Amino acid sequence: MTVSQGKENKLNSIIRASRIISRMNQASPEARKSNTLYYQMIADYYTRLLEASKEGKFIAAHTVFFPTEILYAMDIVPMHTETTTWMIALFTGHSADMLSAGVELGLASEICTPHRGLAGAFALGVLPRPSVMLWSNLVCDNTAKSGELLMEINHCPGFFIDHPFQRSEDEEKYLVGELRDMIHFLEEQSGRKMDWDRLADIVARMDRQIELFREINELRKAIPTPFNPQGFLQLLTIDYLFPGRPEATKYLETLRDELVERVKAGQGAVSPERFRLMSLFIPPMYLIGFLEKISQEYGAVSVTEPFFTYWGEGALDPAKPLESVVKKSYMLPEMRMYGPLDERALNGIVNCAEQYRVDGAVYYADVGCRHTCATIKLFKDVLDRIDVPVLTLDCDVVDPTITSEEDVRDKLEQFFELLEDRQ
Amino acid sequence: MFGWLCTYIPEEILHAAGALPIRITGYSKETELEDGNAYLYINTCSFSRSCLQLGLKGEYDFLDGVVGGSTCDGARRLFDLWRNYIDTPFYHVLTVPRKYTQPAHDLYHSQVKQFKTHLEEFLGIQITDESLYRSIVVYNESRNLLKRLYELRKFDTPPISGTETMEVLNTCFRMPKELFNEWLRSLLDELSIRENSHKSRARLMVVGSVMTNPEFIESIEELGGLVVTDELCTSTRYWSDPVVLDRNITPLEAISQRYLNNFPCARMFPSDERFNRILDLARDFRVDGVISQIVRYCVPYAHDLPLLTERLKGQGIPTLALDVEYGTSGSGQIRTRVQAFLEMLEAKRN
Amino acid sequence: MKALGIDVGSLTTKAVILGNDGILASCIVHSDDEVESSAKTAMEEVLNLAGVSLNNDLYSVSTGVGGKSVSFSYKKKTITTCLARGISYLVPSARTTIDMGAESSTVIRVNERGHIIDWVNHDKCAAGTGVFLQQMAKLMQISTEEMSKLSLQAKSKADISGTCAVFAESEVISHVHRDPPTPKEEIIAGIHFSVVSRIISLCKRIGIERDVAVVGGVALNRGLVKIIEEEMGFGILVPDRPQIVAALGAAVIARENIEKGAK
């Protein structure tokens, strides 16, 4: 496969930008400490990755909703492919060359932009070459099928985790078996051994982290909500990149304490708080800043994201580390929309809307993310049961040519007018 | 009557339960999908939308039950919406693993067992091993007969065209297997005395996701390209492997082994399993060129295409990649491209 | 105080002046490059038609693509809100309104007070919009008026792909060049049918409640409207001047604000 050559160290731009933001935050008296910690963590993650790449250390690239905790337990440097692709989109504002490289590889438009982009990024050498490629079928066919091509592009071996669709004893057992097989594979490839004690510690920490996520969720129920409008992306990234890490616990505790203070003081993320929104799926990365601005302008704030921050029930047992990793994978907020979408799953969304007293919901319909668009009508009807209007925003999480800022502003404005009329 | 969606649903179980399995294939023609688009959204695969359209319009109301699997995103969402918007009395979804390992087989077997139990509860019957054996025999007969049919296409001038074969397959999905077997047997007798008549400019194989419209094949064959074999959800992937009976395993195990190991769908891992089988087919049927028809917006097959094209190229077989709506009959644009492909194949031969 | 509504669109600018007893006047002018001058031209024209002098106290609300840039309007409202108010004024029984504009289609559900319950746009692709129809008309070398007339004459319709404007175009071409060629009116009926299919899909996303009204430039295409009626199975209401509905809605909001004592 021939692709055009383009050398640009986009990882450096993430690191630089994160460090700058972190420092700026530290310097500003009003800024949240958790923000400083967050950007420092991002800078550290990518610095470690860049160094590992330069030193030729073992790097495991992996897809989203992957049990990264296994990698940390084996002291293997992880590279979260999707997050890295959209961070590049976020910090550099243009991912066009990665997308077009993806097209050059022969990837059809069926394949969503994050995946096209990351295949293109690997082909261009913009991302460090991994030692192994790890992927699973969460949450869609795109992810399930991406691995083999990435193995070929990177000339590296890989392992595919087959995550069962439903949840039963047999299915959980199967997944435990998959994880064991992957650990064997990684041990062979990296020469490192799984440190089961360390994994137990990580599981214990993850259990604590999930508790903290839940506490933060509870605090967000306050009126006015204390957490900043698009802040949920930080919560997302914490679980994607740092599950079971001590710095994640520190971040979550710091954030929780900040929110407790704000709730005590009655301080809202936006003032006045006019519209409480539920976010369904992810807003376009390149619009995050813009959406924050609009949120402040209209007093609209996302108070809950059922598929990204609303964890399932249960606790993890460090004495059974692999079973706990499996359990956690089923507790992930994203599993709510993976399926099957039965009454229980749908009621979960309704409960979420009620508990957070949302005025309306915004559905980010990523044009390339087919299986999430397939539920637009279903979720709309479900929320209609409790009279919560839903705005559907056609967009693309990475490609800025699909929807302009103006377009989004118009639609949001219209939606806020509709909500206003109802109040 | 029970509707089933894809090749990973063990039809024999339904048959053994005394039900008539009917394959859900949506509209075989390209059609307006207003409800399908509104409910599944325009960017979901057109096959799922077509199936849902029929379902929402009440055309599947005659079904007592519907069975699906977690096979791909389109199917998964189709069943999510079906469960919520269409009132079919019996509803079951199987988890289908994507691997061929022993644990994967164990998991699939337990899923098939669960399905069987659920069906027994619903119908208030017991599905005995004997009835399973009987169903296996009937279905293996169908597979064998279809294999014989395909063997006829290996000839230089086969007695049956690709279009006619598609029509035979469509019949297969809608009839009780016993009747189908009878009918196909007599067809085979007829064909043995029919003159080998179909000449061609090139021997072609059609690969891809799901297709049921014979007109599509017809539009290729009208231009002189003879479709001698195919690899589709609704053709070889459906009937290719028989259930292998073994004294040491139960009939249920035999069934579940067969269905997971069957000619792979693009969803399975590793993809090489599918590619190798396609290359075998191409070699056995002496295929000159491959036409890949991928339904808009089918993700697994789209992902496979670059690697598959390379593998075929390695065997000296060019591929024409077509991107179609499910149910298409082959419009102007498609014909033009097929024409160009055939000319290229002819030039290659000379 | 007089209530003035201005809708600045990409092709035309509409203005409506509303009195206590009804619409005093309305006008449609061509939009030029400058939003401000288009708005001014429309305002002057409509005041002239109404016999109202420029010195009168005017409360104006602007909307449309250029609505935000009109300097002299007191309030800017989104086009969907204005459409909703406008259609409720003209057709009080309307609960579902389809706006078939040049570049996008919108379906709006309103309650009895003209307030929006839900709405949905389709603006990501051409199929189902005025621009698409114009292109098809050009392809067939007829005017859009003739398109409407011919469509009403068709006894049956040709199959034209509903999904994508690009494919539809090549299919139309092949119909025209077929031997024998498909009758013009059948091709047009096919084109209209595929547009209607898009629209109905859009409607189904938010549900269809009677009465259904159609507005926007494309609403003047009687052939198309007839096909919508056939598909929906009941009559569709088209106001007399469907292009001015948004401007009228803006004027209605203006009047509401006057009554509220707002400035």
Side-chain angles (χ1 to χ4, degrees):
Chain A
M1 283 170 267
T2 52
V3 285
S4 52
Q5 288 307 301
K7 282 281 178 202
E8 210 189 315
N9 203 331
K10 305 217 175 180
L11 280 194
N12 258 325
S13 33
I14 302 178
I15 299 171
R16 252 183 278 128
S18 304
R19 289 225 178 96
I20 291 174
I21 299 175
S22 181
R23 255 177 263 137
M24 273 171 57
N25 242 286
Q26 236 173 352
S28 156
E30 286 180 358
R32 290 186 356 235
K33 181 144 189 280
S34 58
N35 236 6
T36 310
L37 286 174
Y38 175 79
Y39 284 104
Q40 191 52 53
M41 286 163 72
I42 301 283
D44 289 343
Y45 179 94
Y46 284 105
T47 307
R48 181 181 54 205
L49 181 60
L50 204 56
E51 275 168 16
S53 171
K54 288 197 191 136
E55 291 164 25
K57 279 168 75 174
F58 192 85
I59 296 176
H62 67 91
T63 51
V64 73
F65 313 127
F66 193 86
T68 321
E69 46 267 30
I70 304 260
L71 300 174
Y72 282 131
M74 293 177 71
D75 200 22
I76 291 177
V77 177
M79 170 161 60
H80 189 297
T81 49
E82 278 95 335
T83 302
T84 308
T85 310
W86 53 253
M87 283 237 170
I88 291 177
L90 187 61
F91 284 109
T92 66
H94 53 94
S95 41
D97 50 339
M98 298 194 297
L99 284 175
S100 53
V103 171
E104 272 182 55
L105 286 169
L107 287 175
S109 56
E110 260 70 13
I111 287 114
C112 62
T113 42
H115 278 105
R116 246 185 295 144
L118 83 91
F122 275 122
L124 285 177
V126 155
L127 295 179
R129 190 186 152 273
S131 319
V132 292
M133 186 65 224
L134 308 170
W135 76 103
S136 79
N137 57 327
L138 295 184
V139 284
C140 65
D141 287 337
N142 265 310
T143 317
K145 292 298 289 180
S146 59
E148 286 170 296
L149 182 63
L150 294 176
M151 279 165 61
E152 270 213 29
I153 296 175
N154 289 307
H155 307 294
C156 71
F159 189 91
F160 169 57
I161 293 187
D162 184 10
H163 195 294
F165 181 52
Q166 296 167 105
R167 192 173 182 182
S168 66
E169 220 182 285
D170 282 325
E171 286 163 287
E172 287 197 27
K173 207 172 81 174
Y174 178 69
L175 189 52
V176 170
E178 287 287 285
L179 291 178
R180 268 193 219 286
D181 286 348
M182 183 179 73
I183 291 172
H184 273 136
F185 168 77
L186 285 171
E187 285 178 338
E188 266 172 33
Q189 293 294 323
S190 70
R192 292 167 198 260
K193 285 252 158 264
M194 167 53 92
D195 185 339
W196 293 100
D197 290 329
R198 192 188 287 166
L199 186 60
D201 286 340
I202 288 176
V203 166
R205 259 182 251 127
M206 280 199 313
D207 188 50
R208 170 93 186 104
Q209 282 161 11
I210 295 173
E211 260 316 299
L212 285 164
F213 276 120
R214 291 194 186 120
E215 282 179 52
I216 291 170
N217 280 340
E218 274 304 306
L219 291 163
R220 292 176 76 189
K221 287 181 184 169
I223 300 177
T225 198
F227 196 42
N228 67 307
Q230 303 302 333
F232 77 84
L233 285 167
Q234 284 192 9
L235 293 177
L236 226 75
T237 318
I238 290 297
D239 182 59
Y240 288 179
L241 300 184
F242 312 105
R245 301 279 295 187
E247 57 267 33
T249 312
K250 181 138 193 276
Y251 166 84
L252 291 169
E253 283 174 344
T254 310
L255 177 61
R256 190 261 330 259
D257 292 341
E258 284 166 3
L259 296 181
V260 165
E261 284 308 307
R262 292 183 75 103
V263 171
K264 260 201 242 155
Q267 230 183 332
V270 292
S271 185
E273 183 182 275
R274 295 175 62 217
F275 308 115
R276 293 170 70 86
L277 303 174
M278 170 186 274
S279 295
L280 296 169
F281 304 110
I282 278 197
M285 290 296 115
Y286 59 92
L287 284 184
I288 298 296
F290 173 73
L291 288 171
E292 283 262 357
K293 204 165 62 134
I294 290 219
S295 298
Q296 296 288 352
E297 217 178 291
Y298 289 93
V301 56
S302 177
V303 296
T304 180
E305 304 79 28
F307 310 132
F308 289 111
T309 51
Y310 202 50
W311 286 75
E313 274 152 34
L316 305 180
D317 182 5
K320 297 202 184 116
L322 272 191
E323 285 79 0
S324 295
V325 171
V326 163
K327 196 167 179 198
K328 183 212 163 191
S329 79
Y330 278 108
M331 285 161 66
L332 286 172
E334 292 78 6
M335 290 304 272
R336 269 172 208 285
M337 55 89 165
Y338 182 52
L341 293 177
D342 51 17
E343 262 313 297
R344 211 179 66 116
L346 297 176
N347 280 335
I349 301 172
V350 171
N351 290 341
C352 201
E354 285 176 327
Q355 284 171 25
Y356 284 83
R357 318 261 269 281
V358 301
D359 300 304
V362 179
Y363 198 122
Y364 295 100
D366 183 329
V367 66
C369 188
R370 290 154 216 293
H371 77 121
T372 59
C373 285
T375 46
I376 293 175
K377 176 109 175 92
L378 181 60
F379 292 155
K380 196 184 245 272
D381 286 347
V382 158
L383 287 170
D384 196 40
R385 286 187 216 163
I386 51 168
D387 198 26
V388 170
V390 180
L391 166 69
T392 309
L393 270 183
D394 288 310
C395 58
D396 185 290
V397 71
V398 164
D399 185 351
T401 60
I402 302 294
T403 314
S404 64
E405 274 185 18
E406 219 187 287
D407 204 20
V408 170
R409 177 182 277 277
D410 282 344
K411 298 225 166 77
L412 283 174
E413 222 171 40
Q414 182 59 70
F415 189 57
F416 297 145
E417 269 181 28
L418 186 157
L419 293 179
E420 210 169 23
D421 256 356
R422 288 157 55 92
Q423 273 171 354
Chain B
M1 282 188 274
F2 285 72
W4 58 274
L5 192 75
C6 85
T7 56
Y8 290 93
I9 310 302
E11 242 185 297
E12 279 88 328
I13 313 273
L14 291 168
H15 186 265
L20 173 62
I22 306 239
R23 187 167 192 169
I24 296 173
T25 50
Y27 287 101
S28 287
K29 296 201 178 300
E30 203 178 326
T31 186
E32 294 307 332
L33 301 173
E34 292 150 9
D35 301 87
N37 289 344
Y39 282 74
L40 269 174
Y41 216 57
I42 193 119
N43 59 2
T44 305
C45 88
S46 44
F47 174 63
S48 305
R49 281 184 277 133
S50 184
C51 293
L52 189 67
Q53 178 74 22
L54 263 186
L56 289 172
K57 280 278 182 261
E59 306 271 0
Y60 281 124
D61 282 352
F62 66 89
L63 291 177
D64 299 294
V66 72
V67 188
S70 62
T71 42
C72 65
D73 291 342
R76 178 167 60 95
R77 286 301 188 218
L78 169 64
F79 275 86
D80 280 335
L81 293 195
W82 195 296
R83 168 192 244 138
N84 285 291
Y85 290 106
I86 301 173
D87 224 340
T88 310
F90 175 88
Y91 172 96
H92 191 100
V93 171
L94 283 97
T95 293
V96 184
R98 288 185 187 243
K99 292 188 175 178
Y100 304 102
T101 59
Q102 188 54 51
H105 270 287
D106 290 339
L107 176 60
Y108 183 65
H109 178 230
S110 76
Q111 288 287 303
V112 171
K113 251 204 315 225
Q114 262 177 48
F115 167 49
K116 172 171 170 282
T117 311
H118 188 196
L119 193 60
E120 286 171 331
E121 281 164 11
F122 178 73
L123 293 172
I125 57 161
Q126 276 284 347
I127 300 173
T128 60
D129 276 1
E130 283 72 46
S131 56
L132 284 174
Y133 274 122
R134 276 199 296 272
S135 301
I136 290 173
V137 166
V138 171
Y139 273 75
N140 274 353
E141 173 75 358
S142 309
R143 292 173 184 126
N144 194 26
L145 289 168
L146 283 165
K147 185 160 183 221
R148 277 174 53 192
L149 185 74
Y150 269 67
E151 291 287 314
L152 292 174
R153 296 164 78 189
K154 282 184 177 169
F155 289 120
D156 278 339
T157 50
I160 185 170
S161 69
T163 311
E164 291 165 319
T165 310
M166 182 96 275
E167 286 166 354
V168 169
L169 288 162
N170 278 336
T171 315
C172 181
F173 303 134
R174 296 182 191 140
M175 270 173 100
K177 284 293 182 290
E178 292 87 344
L179 288 175
F180 173 73
N181 291 349
E182 234 183 85
W183 175 78
L184 186 49
R185 247 176 262 131
S186 57
L187 177 64
L188 284 168
D189 287 338
E190 205 189 292
L191 288 173
S192 67
I193 50 176
R194 199 196 278 188
E195 278 208 359
N196 289 357
S197 53
H198 294 273
K199 293 218 192 67
S200 73
R201 292 163 70 180
R203 295 172 66 84
L204 302 173
M205 170 159 72
V206 174
V207 307
S209 31
V210 61
M211 175 174 55
T212 48
N213 191 353
E215 283 173 34
F216 179 80
I217 309 214
E218 199 175 33
S219 63
I220 297 172
E221 295 191 313
E222 270 172 10
L223 293 168
L226 186 64
V227 176
V228 296
T229 188
D230 32 61
E231 185 258 352
L232 308 162
C233 304
T234 40
S235 71
T236 42
R237 283 207 297 278
Y238 170 65
W239 58 261
S240 165
D241 297 2
V243 175
V244 175
L245 291 168
D246 185 322
R247 229 177 322 186
N248 300 320
I249 57 175
T250 66
L252 199 69
E253 277 173 285
I255 289 172
S256 59
Q257 268 180 30
R258 183 265 172 194
Y259 273 88
L260 194 61
N261 278 337
N262 188 35
F263 202 122
C265 159
R267 72 182 291 272
M268 299 298 283
F269 176 81
S271 312
D272 273 328
E273 287 289 322
R274 175 176 171 238
F275 297 156
N276 290 338
R277 291 245 220 166
I278 292 176
L279 290 175
D280 286 344
L281 266 184
R283 197 191 46 232
D284 289 345
F285 283 77
R286 297 174 295 123
V287 160
D288 299 316
V290 166
I291 296 185
S292 155
Q293 61 89 40
I294 294 182
V295 163
R296 237 170 264 138
Y297 301 95
C298 177
V299 170
Y301 287 88
H303 264 280
D304 263 1
L305 191 58
L307 292 175
L308 177 62
T309 308
E310 251 186 61
R311 302 274 196 280
L312 287 167
K313 200 160 119 183
Q315 299 291 320
I317 302 173
T319 312
L320 171 67
L322 295 176
D323 184 42
V324 300
E325 277 299 295
Y326 174 69
T328 191
S329 53
S331 72
Q333 249 206 10
I334 290 177
R335 294 175 104 94
T336 318
R337 298 190 60 197
V338 172
Q339 177 78 297
F341 187 59
L342 288 171
E343 282 165 13
M344 191 255 287
L345 290 174
E346 278 175 321
K348 209 171 145 246
R349 225 176 3 195
N350 315 332
Chain C
M1 265 191 119
K2 296 273 187 295
L4 174 68
I6 303 183
D7 169 15
V8 185
S10 39
L11 295 173
T12 53
T13 300
K14 288 72 78 178
V16 169
I17 188 155
L18 202 60
N20 291 327
D21 297 319
I23 302 172
L24 293 178
S26 66
C27 74
I28 306 172
V29 305
H30 278 297
S31 297
D32 60 38
D33 289 329
E34 285 263 355
V35 167
E36 188 76 0
S37 81
S38 306
K40 268 187 79 189
T41 311
M43 174 182 69
E44 285 162 2
E45 168 90 4
V46 80
L47 287 178
N48 201 4
L49 288 170
V52 172
S53 86
L54 256 159
N55 301 323
N56 249 266
D57 247 346
L58 283 175
Y59 189 108
S60 37
V61 169
S62 61
T63 185
V65 159
K68 292 204 189 115
S69 316
V70 178
S71 67
F72 55 85
S73 68
Y74 283 123
K75 266 218 150 56
K76 281 102 170 109
K77 281 286 182 186
T78 59
I79 190 110
T80 322
T81 305
C82 292
L83 281 170
R85 285 294 208 297
I87 199 68
S88 288
Y89 185 92
L90 285 176
V91 187
S93 66
R95 293 290 176 269
T96 312
T97 307
I98 303 169
D99 171 37
M100 291 193 286
E103 283 153 359
S104 70
S105 308
T106 312
V107 182
I108 310 170
R109 295 266 309 270
V110 294
N111 62 16
E112 59 295 339
R113 291 176 296 125
H115 289 230
I116 303 178
I117 304 174
D118 201 356
W119 92 100
V120 64
N121 305 86
H122 184 66
D123 48 15
K124 289 289 159 265
C125 79
T129 64
V131 158
F132 172 71
L133 288 170
Q134 271 180 357
Q135 274 176 359
M136 293 292 114
K138 252 208 320 217
L139 205 58
M140 310 222 31
Q141 297 173 326
I142 53 178
S143 69
T144 40
E145 289 79 34
E146 281 179 83
M147 259 188 117
S148 170
K149 256 203 293 207
L150 282 170
S151 168
L152 289 166
Q153 292 168 8
K155 300 271 186 320
S156 70
K157 60 170 175 68
D159 259 324
I160 307 278
S161 157
T163 315
C164 182
V166 174
F167 294 115
E169 194 169 317
S170 72
E171 281 178 56
V172 167
I173 294 174
S174 61
H175 272 288
V176 167
H177 291 126
R178 203 167 279 201
D179 183 25
T182 313
K184 254 190 180 147
E185 58 276 11
E186 284 177 28
I187 303 180
I188 293 162
I191 293 170
H192 281 167
F193 188 76
S194 80
V195 169
V196 169
S197 185
R198 291 294 107 252
I199 300 288
I200 296 201
S201 228
L202 209 58
C203 291
K204 291 201 171 185
R205 284 175 59 186
I206 57 173
I208 300 173
E209 195 194 337
R210 290 186 70 174
D211 281 328
V212 177
V214 173
V215 302
V218 181
L220 292 169
N221 185 330
R222 268 264 75 200
L224 192 84
V225 174
K226 176 153 166 278
I227 296 182
I228 300 180
E229 288 180 324
E230 281 165 6
E231 287 307 297
M232 289 207 180
F234 48 77
I236 307 287
L237 306 171
V238 183
D240 277 331
R241 298 189 77 187
Q243 311 101 304
I244 61 142
V245 178
L248 170 61
V252 169
I253 295 174
R255 196 178 61 183
E256 282 171 10
N257 284 343
I258 295 172
E259 282 163 10
K260 267 196 284 197
K263 192 119 185 149

